[in-house]
Every structure is written in structure tokens, then in C-alpha cells.
Amino acid sequence: MKIEDIDFIIPIITGTFLVGILLVFIIYFVLLYRKKQEEYEWEKEQAKQLLLTTKIEIKEQTMSNISRELHDNIGQMATLVKMNLSLFNYETEDDKRKIDEATDITDKLIIEIKELSTTIKGENLERFGLLNMIDKDIARMSRLDYIKILRTGEEYIPEMDHETEIYLYRMTQEIFNNVLQHSGSTEAILNITNKDKVLTLTFKDNGKGFDSNTYKQGSGLINLEERCKLIDAKFNIESQPNQGTIITISLKINIYGKPN
Amino acid sequence: MNPRFFVYLLLLLFVAIYGGINFKKLSLSFKLLSLLILFTLISESMSWSGVFPIKNSLILYHILLPTTMIMLWLIFSNESNNKRKSDYFITILFVFISISNSIWHQYDIFPSHGLALLCNLAVWLSLQTFKQMILLPSNVNVTKRPFFWLATFTLFFYCITFFSFTFYNFHLGIMWLLDLNFYSGFMLYLGYFVALFFDVNRNKYAYEN
């Protein structure tokens, strides 16, 4: 081989080698970047969940404080008003009628305060159980005469850990609030089933519905989805304008009622 | 004029116009890149037209090299808020050496030493950008990040330029190395166009994967 040939061959070999190295480097970079990106996404999701959990804990604590205030302070004051009314010396029948009316209203107020205090306090779930608490909410909402809610399905569900019960309970409350505020429904059904180790809550209303593809643009439904993620529950929503809404939450639980 | 050089100038003109039209939408780095492209277009056009009294375009490269060094540093240093002191010192040192070389050493010939420094600086800045992207990933797909294209094509072009000028031998007639360098330059400005495109549309791709 002549020297001139080598002078031609060396640049070709070196050039090929150089371009090869550059290509390998870029491919390696893209793969490494994707791996780092996945880690970044995972960390971001973890941070988001932690923030959400903290927010929920703070909210629970606040609700617990409000519940205590309602029960111990405002409830006591309402009882005091009732006692004072009973000590009132009336002179005419009209006065008596008015005082009886006021006493009745105060009685209702005391009951409402107690019920509200019970339902907003998460700790009461341990005392009454999830289904009973949901039933209390349904009864309280039915008294408002805006909507008739019927609960069907299981009369007993396995006891779950407190945190999961609180999440499920708060989610049903969120659904009830959404229905009351936005749906314009007159009737709704909450069906709770426990089949094949899957607890399913299906809520169906006859309200005005909405386009379920666009609900993400800001509503309490996003909270529901986020809470479901926290307890590994599946969340589904089906709705069309003027055709009501069906919300389904399903959660895998083991034989002891604990989430898997 | 050589037809391929004409096509090359057309490409530069197209990318410069694209940068100019979308100048307001561009981030600071890519505004600077647009200016660099415009500057390159002007100098390449002048080198072709031979407007200088000295009848060659060498003086252009003596000006173009340190300017490109500073512009590249400014472009890449805006990639993140973490401005590296090492980049600053290397750039200042290389610019100083390049200007000194143009004044006292290679003043009447092609500033190959300055070009070698520019190649090294561009490769260094590109690699630092890759590192920065790994350290600070985002939710944007890597192929939709403008700095990925900017760093990739800068790395390829300046590696190939360094390689071409290392092995180029006029007497042996290894002219394909200059062709290779020319086509890699062509690719560089196509890559810059892609980078500008993704920077103009960065909000659109911010939440896509």
C-alpha cells in the first residue's frame, strides 16, 4: 500500500469512527434523558400526592375543629336558648304559640347542628361506619327537599382502614355537593356493591349533565379523581348534556376489607 | 456562483427570515441565534461578492470567529439560570487568543488556530448543554426541546469541521473533506431552523410528550 493510499484511507476511517461516536452519543443521550424524564415525572407525581395528602389532612383537621365548635359551643348555645324559652312566662295564647314555634325551630336547629357536627367529623366514621355516615348525609340532604337520594346495594361492607374510609366518605360528600349545586337533579341513586373483592360506588342522577370530555376545566370532579389516585381507586365519569351523570368509583379490597 | 453555494445562501436567507418573522416569539437564546444566523448570512454574502478592497474574504473570518464564540456562549449560557463560570473563563480566554492570533500571527492567512478554538468551545458548550438537560429534565419530549437540536447540530458541525481541517491536504487533493464540511454546514442551518421552530412553538409542546 502506498503512502498516498494511507493518506486517503485514514480520514475515511477516522471520519466514520467520529460520526459513529457522535451518533452513539446522541442515542445514548436520548435514552438517558428519557430515563431521567421518567424519574422526574415520578418525583413530581409523588410531590403532588404528598401535597394533596397534606391538604386533605389539614382539611380534615379543620373540619374536626369546626365539628367540635359546632357541638360544644354553638350546640350548647342553642340548648341554652331552648331552656330560656321554656322558662319564659307567657301571658296570652298568642305568646304561647310563638314560643312553641320558637322552641320547635330551636329543636330542629339543635338536631341540624348535631347531625352536621357528626357528618363533618371524620372520626365518627369509626363510630358509625361508612354506610351509616353516608345514610346520615342522605337523610340530611333529603330534608332540604331539593333532591331525593336513594341508596341501594350492600347493607354491610367490610371495615376498611380509617384513611380509606375517610377518602371514600369525603368523595361521596363531594358528589352530593356537586349534585346539589350544579346538576339540577331531582332524583339520584347511590349503589354500593362489594363483589369479587371490589368495592364499587355508583352514583347516578337525572340532572342536566355535561360533556364529560371537558369536565377537567375546573370542578370538584378533579378532586375526586385525585383522591381516587391516592387510594388506588378507579374513577370513571359518564355524562352527556341533558342525560344525567354516572360516577363510578371502584376500589380493590382484600378479605379483611383493606385496600390491596 | 457555484450553484450549491447559492442554495446554501438561500437556506441561510430562509432561516434568517424565519427567525426575523418570529423574533418576538423567540426566547432570548434563540433571538441571539437568529442574529448569529443573520450575521453569518451577511458575512457569507460579502465573502461571495468580494466587496473588500483586499480582494479576498479572509478578514471576514478574523471577525466572524471571535464573534461566533461570544454569540455561542451567550446562546448556550441562557439555556438555564445556572450560568457556569468555567464557560465564561474559557470563552474569554479563547476569544482573547483568537484575536491575538488574528493580529500577530495569522493576520494574512486563514485563521485556522482561531477556528480550532471555536470548534473546541462549541463542542464544550454543546456537551455542557447536554449535561444540563440531563440534570434538569422537563416534561417536554427531548426531540421537542429546541436546545436538543441546537446542541446536537452544533456538536456535529464543529466536530466535523475540526476533523475536516485536521485532515485536509490540498496537495494530496483530499477535497471531499471540504465537501463534507460544506454539507455539514448545510445540515447545521437546517438543524438551527428546527431549533427555532420548536422554540417558537415551545408553549404548544410544553405539556405534550
Side-chain angles (χ1 to χ4, degrees):
Chain A
M1 189 180 281
K2 292 177 185 174
I3 291 171
E4 286 84 357
D5 292 339
I6 293 169
D7 284 338
F8 276 97
I9 289 166
I10 286 175
I12 292 171
I13 293 171
T14 317
T16 310
F17 186 66
L18 175 71
V19 172
I21 284 178
L22 288 173
L23 285 174
V24 168
F25 172 79
I26 295 299
I27 292 166
Y28 177 71
F29 170 77
V30 171
L31 295 175
L32 187 64
Y33 181 87
R34 284 191 179 156
K35 193 182 161 198
K36 290 281 174 188
Q37 197 180 27
E38 279 171 15
E39 285 173 15
Y40 167 77
E41 294 283 346
W42 186 81
E43 279 170 16
K44 211 168 89 172
E45 189 60 32
Q46 291 295 108
K48 201 173 151 190
Q49 288 205 354
L50 187 67
L51 184 70
L52 190 64
T53 311
T54 312
K55 270 166 75 178
I56 289 168
E57 277 171 12
I58 291 169
K59 196 174 169 186
E60 282 300 320
Q61 188 58 48
T62 310
M63 287 174 94
S64 182
N65 290 342
I66 293 169
S67 167
R68 200 179 306 118
E69 278 297 307
L70 275 172
H71 187 268
D72 298 349
N73 198 354
I74 299 171
Q76 291 301 321
M77 282 163 77
T79 309
L80 213 61
V81 169
K82 190 186 163 187
M83 282 168 68
N84 281 349
L85 283 169
S86 68
L87 296 172
F88 197 82
N89 290 323
Y90 48 87
E91 290 171 359
T92 64
E93 278 302 307
D94 192 44
D95 286 346
K96 183 182 181 295
R97 190 178 51 78
K98 282 178 182 171
I99 287 163
D100 285 347
E101 268 178 26
T103 309
D104 283 348
I105 293 167
T106 314
D107 274 338
K108 282 179 186 169
L109 178 69
I110 292 166
I111 292 167
E112 282 296 322
I113 289 170
K114 279 187 178 172
E115 297 249 323
L116 189 63
S117 164
T118 307
T119 54
I120 64 172
K121 192 172 184 180
E123 283 96 326
N124 284 327
L125 273 167
E126 287 179 15
R127 196 169 143 206
F128 298 110
L130 178 64
L131 291 184
N132 277 335
M133 291 292 279
I134 291 173
D135 286 342
K136 279 178 189 288
D137 269 342
I138 291 173
R140 197 164 58 84
M141 287 186 73
S142 296
R143 280 202 297 275
L144 297 172
D145 280 342
Y146 291 119
I147 185 169
K148 188 180 168 190
I149 302 175
L150 184 68
R151 190 176 71 76
T152 57
E154 306 289 340
E155 285 306 318
Y156 165 81
I157 54 168
E159 198 177 300
M160 288 172 276
D161 67 89
H162 183 58
E163 197 179 73
T164 308
E165 283 194 335
I166 281 191
Y167 280 114
L168 286 172
Y169 179 54
R170 295 295 179 218
M171 281 192 273
T172 57
Q173 285 185 320
E174 184 86 47
I175 292 169
F176 292 159
N177 281 339
N178 277 346
V179 166
L180 204 62
Q181 286 175 20
H182 308 295
S183 74
S185 311
T186 52
E187 287 179 4
I189 297 173
L190 174 65
N191 185 42
I192 299 176
T193 59
N194 179 21
K195 280 181 186 169
D196 301 326
K197 296 176 190 173
V198 177
L199 182 73
T200 308
L201 284 81
T202 310
F203 186 86
K204 191 176 177 181
D205 70 45
N206 67 346
K208 59 186 175 186
F210 55 91
D211 184 354
S212 53
N213 295 320
T214 57
Y215 81 91
K216 288 196 173 185
Q217 290 164 355
S219 74
L221 295 171
I222 294 170
N223 287 339
L224 288 175
E225 206 169 355
E226 295 293 335
R227 283 172 195 245
C228 280
K229 275 186 198 168
L230 287 174
I231 54 169
D232 280 335
K234 282 183 185 165
F235 176 77
N236 186 51
I237 186 157
E238 291 169 39
S239 187
Q240 286 295 321
N242 304 316
Q243 289 180 24
T245 304
I246 303 172
I247 295 173
T248 312
I249 295 166
S250 47
L251 172 71
K252 277 187 180 177
I253 51 173
N254 61 26
I255 53 169
Y256 305 107
K258 305 279 183 192
N260 284 333
Chain B
M1 192 204 296
N2 187 338
R4 72 174 193 182
F5 190 70
F6 180 68
V7 175
Y8 171 71
L9 283 183
L10 275 183
L11 173 69
L12 265 175
L13 181 67
F14 169 71
V15 183
I17 289 172
Y18 183 79
I21 289 170
N22 296 290
F23 197 75
K24 279 187 181 174
K25 291 182 193 169
L26 291 168
S27 59
L28 181 60
S29 287
F30 290 89
K31 280 180 179 165
L32 291 167
L33 181 68
S34 291
L35 292 176
L36 180 63
I37 292 165
L38 183 67
F39 181 69
T40 311
L41 172 69
I42 292 167
S43 60
E44 294 282 23
S45 305
M46 286 168 87
S47 75
W48 157 68
S49 59
V51 291
F52 298 101
I54 53 172
K55 300 296 181 195
N56 70 43
S57 57
L58 281 178
I59 190 165
L60 271 173
Y61 294 100
H62 287 283
I63 298 166
L64 188 63
L65 290 180
T67 311
T68 308
M69 282 182 193
I70 293 168
M71 291 295 271
L72 280 179
W73 170 64
L74 288 172
I75 290 164
F76 282 106
S77 66
N78 277 303
E79 191 264 341
S80 71
N81 293 326
N82 181 22
K83 289 186 179 176
R84 294 171 293 271
K85 280 184 180 175
S86 56
D87 293 0
Y88 176 76
F89 285 118
I90 289 170
T91 308
I92 295 294
L93 181 69
F94 281 17
V95 168
F96 176 75
I97 295 171
S98 178
I99 292 171
S100 305
N101 175 61
S102 292
I103 293 171
W104 288 295
H105 186 52
Q106 292 184 312
Y107 52 86
D108 56 349
I109 56 171
F110 183 78
S112 56
H113 296 166
L115 183 68
L117 290 173
L118 171 62
C119 291
N120 280 290
L121 180 70
V123 169
W124 166 261
L125 292 172
S126 303
L127 292 176
Q128 288 291 333
T129 303
F130 284 124
K131 183 184 161 192
Q132 203 65 27
M133 284 169 79
I134 290 292
L135 291 175
L136 295 170
S138 75
N139 57 342
V140 183
N141 191 320
V142 68
T143 54
K144 287 171 183 167
R145 285 187 73 170
F147 269 99
F148 169 73
W149 294 104
L150 179 68
T152 300
F153 280 94
T154 303
L155 181 70
F156 266 80
F157 174 73
Y158 285 100
C159 279
I160 288 170
T161 302
F162 192 81
F163 162 78
S164 305
F165 280 88
T166 304
F167 285 98
Y168 175 63
N169 190 326
F170 181 78
H171 300 292
L172 285 173
I174 310 177
M175 299 303 284
W176 63 267
L177 283 169
L178 287 185
D179 291 342
L180 177 72
N181 196 33
F182 177 81
Y183 290 116
S184 67
F186 208 87
M187 294 303 293
L188 175 76
Y189 292 105
L190 277 178
Y192 282 179
F193 169 71
V194 176
L196 287 173
F197 174 80
F198 281 117
D199 192 61
V200 168
N201 297 291
R202 63 188 178 282
N203 292 332
K204 186 180 165 188
Y205 297 113
Y207 299 102
E208 281 183 22
N209 262 317

